Amino acid sequence: MSYYPLNSIPDYYGIDSLLTEEHLLIRQSVRDWVESFVMPKIDEAAQNHTDIPNLMKELGKIGALGPYIPEEYGGSGLDQISYGIIMQELERGDSAVRSAASVQSSLVMFPINEYGSEEQKKKFLPQLANGEMIGAFGLTEPNHGSDPSSMETYFVDKGDHYLLNGAKMWITNAPLCDIAVVWAKNEEGKVQGLIVERGFEGFTTPETHNKWSLRASKTGELVFDNVKVPKENIFPKVTGLKGPLSCLNSARYGISWGVIGAAIDCYCTAVQYSKERTQFGKPIAGFQLQQKKLAEFLTEITKAQLLCLQLGNLKNAHKATPAQISMAKRNNVKMAIDIARESRQILGGMGIMGEFPMMRHAANLESVITYEGTHDIHLLITGMDITGINAFG
Ligand code: TGC
Ligand code: FAD
């Protein structure tokens, strides 16, 4: 259960009036599920560095996997704002829960739907949508994170199959995955996507231990040692880095919404606590310094909500540019991590405890500010959009 009443979740600018009845219903049902399924378990899972049992199947049951994938392939056929709202509600619970849903939806189902063959769509999408199958996305490598174009993982054509070699690192859900969408170079050095299935000989997924962040999410490697990949498992409809980067557009968009949920959880907890906690004979909410913090949190959350809503409108109209998405991801993650850190201080010593969400969100957001493009990489994307000059290399 959340520490604050759910009706204290802010809508300071009446943004709800811009949403449809369907959006509000979706939000309520995911919010209820987070209260009953995630909140009672999340602190223990994070403290013990274990995943939440049956998470993916439960996410499938509430329609949180591939919400915008067409219904004929098991998705819900919803719009982009619905997708964003779902991500926001999940991340109010924990970034690990949003991560599970966004990898499955944006990084695994999205490329299969966009770039896969009809057979691949029929074989994988319905099981990914109901959570019976868990997917992972392999782009980052031990030697290449921000610069995926230098990737070393490669495959060669062996006539009746491809032979895949290399390794991916920092992969969400690698230890749990049934399939991995893997980006690798062909013999011409061009990037292509392949679906690697659990059980293929030479494919292993060692877990990454000892994380201080996203502790309720499994992270690991994808290792390919002469893995035979059937020819029907390559994506027929995309070649080049734009394949994986287009998936990132969808996931980064979801993160922009998601982190608002983490910020809301911290803000609402801080408001509630500051009204209850008395020092010097009055509630700490009555001190100007604490009010400054709360006022700034609400201002930043409201700005982030408006940014996302308009980005969602642009996405629905197929007009959102990658640079616009970068701006929202960068701004909103920084907004959320700042609120998590500052709101922890409002709780004093209690702020470091697992009964309250701030430390967990703050630690999670250290990953979120790094993955899907670091804070600095997104700034450079905006810089290039403004100037036309590439400052990466
Ligand atoms: P560059 O030369 O700019 O572009 C190469 C080709 O890609 C196209 N492109 C895009 N297409 C679609 N969407 C985008 N966002 C695109 N950005 C670029 C571009 O038009 C070009 O196409 P073409 O046809 O001309 O070949 O590429 P670059 O090598 O200079 O790199 C650009 C850079 C640095 C921005 C990019 O590589 C980047 O975004 N780096 C960050 C890497 C990253 O974000 N990795 C994320 C890994 S996945 C992950 O973190 C999952 S966490 C999941 C969770 O748990 O939630
Ligand atoms: P580097 O690229 O080595 O960057 C290190 C620092 O250098 C950063 O601060 C960066 O901003 C800076 N830097 C790099 N290049 C430049 C430049 N040109 N100019 C200025 N500064 C620069 N990846 C996947 O493929 N799939 C996943 O499912 C996935 N899940 C993840 C889960 C977690 C918990 C984490 C932590 C990461 C995950 N990642 C995943 C990887 C993530 O996308 C990378 O960590 C991220 O892209 C950064 O790469 P890197 O860690 O190699 O850092």
Side-chain angles (χ1 to χ4, degrees):
M1 281 272 292
S2 296
Y3 171 67
Y4 48 86
L6 292 185
N7 63 13
S8 68
I9 290 179
D11 176 26
Y12 202 64
Y13 262 39
I15 296 169
D16 281 4
S17 68
L18 302 173
L19 301 176
T20 63
E21 279 299 313
E22 188 181 42
H23 292 145
L24 296 173
L25 272 172
I26 290 167
R27 188 175 69 192
Q28 193 58 51
S29 73
V30 181
R31 191 169 285 178
D32 291 344
W33 177 82
V34 166
E35 283 303 294
S36 63
F37 187 79
V38 177
M39 292 306 193
K41 305 181 176 70
I42 188 59
D43 180 57
E44 196 184 340
Q47 300 270 5
N48 295 338
H49 207 328
T50 111
D51 54 318
I52 300 176
N54 287 322
L55 176 63
M56 207 60 94
K57 284 186 188 152
E58 291 295 322
L59 286 168
K61 278 188 204 155
I62 62 164
L65 304 177
Y68 55 79
I69 298 294
E71 286 172 287
E72 62 175 309
Y73 299 115
S76 308
L78 297 174
D79 73 343
Q80 290 291 329
I81 290 175
S82 304
Y83 177 54
I85 287 170
I86 292 170
M87 297 296 120
Q88 175 187 289
E89 292 306 313
L90 296 181
E91 200 150 357
R92 193 177 67 83
D94 196 83
S95 302
V97 178
R98 194 269 309 139
S99 248
S102 58
V103 169
Q104 187 96 340
S105 303
S106 287
L107 299 182
V108 179
M109 297 176 74
F110 173 87
I112 294 175
N113 187 53
E114 286 291 308
Y115 306 127
S117 64
E118 195 53 33
E119 293 69 33
Q120 289 168 354
K121 291 190 202 185
K122 285 191 180 133
K123 181 173 173 189
F124 297 112
L125 288 178
Q127 291 188 78
L128 289 162
N130 65 23
E132 291 291 331
M133 190 175 256
I134 296 179
F137 175 87
L139 180 64
T140 308
E141 299 188 351
N143 295 327
H144 309 285
S146 298
D147 177 21
S149 73
S150 302
M151 70 173 67
E152 294 164 50
T153 301
Y154 70 98
F155 63 94
V156 290
D157 191 333
K158 290 289 185 182
D160 63 341
H161 64 271
Y162 299 113
L163 202 62
L164 177 68
N165 277 286
K168 300 287 175 180
M169 193 178 177
W170 298 116
I171 307 305
T172 299
N173 276 342
L176 305 176
C177 74
D178 300 293
I179 61 166
V181 167
V182 177
W183 300 93
K185 282 184 178 162
N186 64 21
E187 285 156 273
E188 293 165 8
K190 299 253 166 60
V191 173
Q192 289 194 265
L194 305 111
I195 302 172
V196 179
E197 299 177 45
R198 172 82 59 196
F200 285 3
E201 209 180 324
F203 173 44
T204 50
T205 59
E207 184 170 349
T208 302
H209 296 285
N210 297 332
K211 290 179 296 164
W212 282 108
S213 174
L214 282 181
R215 287 172 62 84
S217 167
K218 294 276 179 205
T219 310
E221 294 166 53
L222 304 172
V223 182
F224 316 105
D225 180 9
N226 283 323
V227 178
K228 280 186 185 175
V229 180
K231 288 219 150 161
E232 65 264 23
N233 279 28
I234 200 161
F235 289 145
K237 296 188 196 157
V238 73
T239 302
L241 203 56
K242 63 178 181 293
L245 292 180
S246 62
C247 307
L248 298 185
N249 293 336
S250 177
R252 290 166 177 172
Y253 165 74
I255 289 172
S256 307
W257 279 89
V259 292
I260 296 173
I264 285 174
D265 198 33
C266 295
Y267 165 79
C268 291
T269 302
V271 171
Q272 182 76 14
Y273 185 89
S274 65
K275 287 190 199 163
E276 289 172 1
R277 175 71 175 169
T278 299
Q279 289 292 288
F280 298 96
K282 68 175 188 182
I284 58 170
F287 297 118
Q288 288 182 0
L289 286 175
Q290 305 311 317
Q291 288 192 5
K292 175 174 186 287
K293 289 190 173 104
L294 297 174
E296 285 176 351
F297 296 166
L298 183 56
T299 307
E300 292 308 315
I301 288 170
T302 304
K303 283 154 67 179
Q305 287 173 326
L306 288 165
L307 199 61
C308 271
L309 187 65
Q310 176 57 3
L311 189 60
N313 288 328
L314 289 170
K315 273 216 114 214
N316 277 340
H318 305 285
K319 287 184 179 161
T321 65
Q324 286 170 330
I325 295 169
S326 282
M327 181 183 279
K329 193 268 182 184
R330 181 174 185 274
N331 181 79
N332 289 9
V333 179
K334 182 69 165 60
M335 173 281 296
I337 201 168
D338 287 347
I339 290 178
R341 289 168 179 162
E342 282 283 308
S343 64
R344 197 222 48 83
Q345 292 193 50
I346 295 180
L347 271 67
M350 291 307 285
I352 71 159
M353 298 303 291
E355 287 90 323
F356 296 99
M358 282 83 163
M359 284 292 283
R360 184 167 45 76
H361 283 307
N364 286 342
L365 290 162
E366 291 291 345
S367 287
V368 182
I369 205 165
T370 291
Y371 67 34
E372 298 277 3
T374 68
H375 193 63
D376 287 341
I377 289 294
H378 287 296
L379 177 130
L380 295 177
I381 291 171
T382 307
M384 187 165 74
D385 205 40
I386 295 168
T387 64
I389 302 168
N390 177 341
F392 293 108

